[in-house]
Amino acid sequence: MRGQRRPAGAVSALVLVLTVALTAACQQATGRTGPVGDSSVTVPAPLPSGYGLIFLGPGDCGSRGRDFREVPCGSEKAAARVIGRFGGRPSDGPACPAATDFVLHISESRPAADEDGDGSVGQGYACMRNLEPPHPGDPGGGGGPHTVVGDCVYNASKGQVKETACDGSGTRAPQFRVASAASSRTQCPSSTALYVQLRGETPVGCARRV
């Protein structure tokens, strides 16, 4: 029952730095390399859903702000919906769906059960999608936890690229666009100027200059 849930103030969600500043894995056609990006279209099996079973469970909605609060999806405060919810850390667990706009690290204030004394117990992570545009996780949106076909990037430093919006609305103008994906670099077209590492059966993104 809804009345039996823990107080909302006992739970907080910290936004991970996995959005617009996400660094994409790249390899210039000339041989320069950079950090690893990620693309996945497979949606892993989520944790059990149902209001009250888990904080920010699959299908639940949250408000905006430093402390993310679970609110009814019909509320005027609702800003994003959970499209994937998993235990553990994002680096160790299943990848979020490709449509994810941002990822939340969920922790619950429960000092009595805290083993390391930091006042919180790790509860997993939630893959969030904004209820309304913009959607940085969409192809060309300039963010999200994955680099996918249709995304644009710019040279952030020697051998490194970062995502930016393809329409030029970001803080940096796009320099390359991932036009297609292939199983190996040799299958990319001759116009490829940058190789971006993706996830899945076609892990090589073939990017062209824009």
Side-chain angles (χ1 to χ4, degrees), residues 4 17 24 27-28 30 38 56-57 59 63 84 107 117 133 143 151 156 178 193 205:
Q4 295 177 335
V17 185
Q27 182 170 8
Q28 295 278 5
T30 56
D38 196 324
L56 284 179
S63 63
S107 63
D151 277 341
V178 182

Side-chain angles (χ1 to χ4, degrees), residues 88-99:
R89 296 177 300 179
S91 59
D92 300 329
C96 282

Side-chain angles (χ1 to χ4, degrees), residues 168-179:
S169 61
T171 56
R172 296 291 298 271
Q175 295 177 323
F176 305 92
R177 183 167 189 158
V178 182

Side-chain angles (χ1 to χ4, degrees), residues 134-191:
H135 294 293
D138 285 353
H146 307 299
T147 300
V148 298
V149 173
D151 277 341
C152 291
V153 298
Y154 67 92
N155 278 314
S157 61
K158 184 177 181 179
Q160 291 187 331
V161 297
K162 291 183 178 181
E163 280 191 45
T164 188
C166 288
D167 63 5
S169 61
T171 56
R172 296 291 298 271
Q175 295 177 323
F176 305 92
R177 183 167 189 158
V178 182
S180 60
S183 58
S184 68
R185 285 178 290 174
T186 58
Q187 295 181 342
C188 287
S190 59
S191 58

Side-chain angles (χ1 to χ4, degrees), residues 4-73:
Q4 295 177 335
R5 296 196 64 214
R6 298 188 286 270
V11 190
S12 65
L14 304 178
V15 180
L16 289 175
V17 185
L18 294 175
T19 53
V20 178
L22 180 69
T23 301
C26 70
Q27 182 170 8
Q28 295 278 5
T30 56
R32 291 184 295 174
T33 60
V36 174
D38 196 324
S39 177
S40 174
V41 295
T42 301
V43 180
L47 294 176
S49 61
Y51 193 86
L53 292 178
I54 183 173
F55 174 67
L56 284 179
D60 289 342
C61 292
S63 63
R64 283 290 188 192
R66 188 185 181 104
D67 288 337
F68 225 80
R69 302 286 178 173
E70 183 177 317
V71 297
C73 289

